[in-house]
Amino acid sequence: MSQFRTWLERQRFLPSRAGIFVNRDFIIRRGLMRWVGHFAKQFKGRILDFGCGEKPYESLFKVEKYVGVDIEVSGHSSEKKKADFYFRDTTLPFADAEFDGALSTEVFQSVPDPGAMLVELARVLKPGAPLLITYPYGWEEVEMPYDMARYTSVGLNRFLNAAGFDVEEVVKTPTYIETLTQLFTLWLSRTVLPWGRRAVRIVSTTLFVAPINLFGIMLGRVLPNDPRYFHNVILLARKRQVVNPPS
C-alpha cells in the first residue's frame, strides 16, 4: 500500500502513461514534465528553484546542488512546501551570482511585480546562466487571491529583456484539441462528477476522465493544430554576459 501511495504521489507532477487513470490533469502535467525534462539537460552546478513549492521537478535535474526558495505567504499550503529558504517582497536571501541556473514553474502568474522579481533573479545568477520559466495561459484561476495574470507566449519578454535576459526558446503546450479536452475534463470534475475523498477521485478519474483525456490526446495527434490555443508556456532564457544597467 505504501508503494502505491508513493506511485500515486509521483503521478501528480511526473505522470507515467498509467498516470492518465489517476491524474485528472494528466494532459497538462505530462506536457510540462516532458518539456521541463528536455530543458533540464542544459543545467549544471548550483540551481535555484524560485517559488519551489513541493519541488515537483527536482528529480529531473542532475545537478550539483538544487536549492528551493519560496515566499512566506502564498496560495500553497505551507505544510507541503519543501523550501530551503523563504523570502519577502522581491529580495532573495542570496549573494550576487551565486547560482549557475534557475527555474520557476507555474509561479509568475502570482508575482505582483514580475519586472522587479526578474531583476532580482538576474542578480543571483551568473552571467550566461539559463532561466527556465513555465506559466499557465488557458487555465482556471488558482490560489486566489494570489493569482494575478495570464501571459501570452511573449507576455514576459519585455520584463526579461529589461532584466538582462535573452529569450532563446519558447514552447506552447499542449495542442489545441488537447487543451479543449483538458478544460472539459476539469469542468466535468468540478461540476458533475463526485470528487470528495481520494478513493472517489481515483474511481471518477479512471471511469470517466481518463477515457475522455485519452480520446482528446488521440484527436490532437491527427487533427490540425491551432497554436493560438494552449495551456502552458515553457520559456528558456539566458542571462546576458554583460548586463546594461537600467536607464
Side-chain angles (χ1 to χ4, degrees):
M1 184 60 72
S2 61
Q3 290 182 340
F4 176 72
R5 288 198 185 99
T6 301
W7 177 84
L8 200 63
E9 187 65 22
R10 181 176 176 82
Q11 301 312 302
R12 293 174 56 215
F13 294 101
L14 303 172
S16 62
R17 290 182 178 179
I20 195 171
F21 296 106
V22 295
N23 188 340
R24 174 195 62 185
D25 306 329
F26 176 84
I27 292 176
I28 189 171
R29 294 298 185 191
R30 183 82 168 175
L32 282 171
M33 177 191 72
R34 285 176 171 176
W35 282 106
V36 171
H38 170 77
F39 287 119
K41 300 171 185 176
Q42 300 189 31
F43 287 73
K44 61 182 180 180
R46 289 175 56 86
I47 303 302
L48 177 65
D49 187 342
F50 170 73
C52 65
E54 300 176 50
K55 295 184 179 177
Y57 301 110
E58 181 178 9
S59 63
L60 301 180
F61 290 80
K62 309 305 179 184
V63 295
E64 176 186 330
K65 184 73 174 178
Y66 191 98
V67 178
V69 65
D70 212 321
I71 197 164
E72 291 184 341
V73 179
S74 70
H76 278 297
S77 170
S78 59
E79 295 178 357
K80 290 187 175 182
K81 289 181 179 180
K82 297 180 180 179
D84 302 293
F85 299 91
Y86 287 92
F87 73 100
R88 294 181 180 180
D89 302 320
T90 57
T91 303
L92 296 175
F94 307 112
D96 294 355
E98 185 170 339
F99 294 96
D100 301 289
L103 71 147
S104 178
T105 58
E106 310 300 277
V107 171
F108 267 87
Q109 72 278 5
S110 301
V111 174
D113 191 343
M117 200 68 253
L118 286 167
V119 168
E120 180 67 356
L121 279 170
R123 180 185 68 79
V124 303
L125 288 176
K126 297 177 182 177
L131 170 64
L132 181 63
I133 298 177
T134 81
Y135 54 88
Y137 179 66
W139 198 236
E140 64 177 337
E141 292 181 332
V142 295
E143 301 172 27
M144 298 301 287
Y146 302 99
D147 192 347
M148 300 181 181
R150 290 292 180 271
Y151 298 103
T152 66
S153 57
V154 298
L156 288 180
N157 285 21
R158 61 191 176 98
F159 299 115
L160 285 160
N161 289 332
F165 292 95
D166 290 318
V167 177
E168 293 188 346
E169 192 167 351
V170 176
V171 176
K172 294 184 282 189
T173 183
T175 65
Y176 172 58
I177 298 299
E178 289 174 312
T179 298
L180 290 179
T181 302
Q182 184 72 94
L183 288 174
F184 175 72
T185 52
L186 179 67
W187 168 83
L188 195 67
S189 66
R190 286 278 193 265
T191 61
V192 178
L193 297 175
W195 213 261
R197 298 170 58 188
R198 172 182 280 187
V200 176
R201 294 198 301 270
I202 292 175
V203 171
S204 294
T205 301
T206 301
L207 295 181
F208 301 104
V209 175
I212 298 172
N213 278 343
L214 181 58
F215 183 63
I217 292 170
M218 295 171 62
L219 282 181
R221 291 178 178 176
V222 299
L223 294 179
N225 185 39
D226 187 336
R228 294 173 296 179
Y229 299 90
F230 53 93
H231 271 308
N232 275 88
V233 175
I234 298 94
L235 181 154
L236 180 69
R238 195 171 298 273
K239 182 180 174 180
R240 298 187 194 113
Q241 293 290 343
V242 178
V243 179
N244 297 323
S247 57

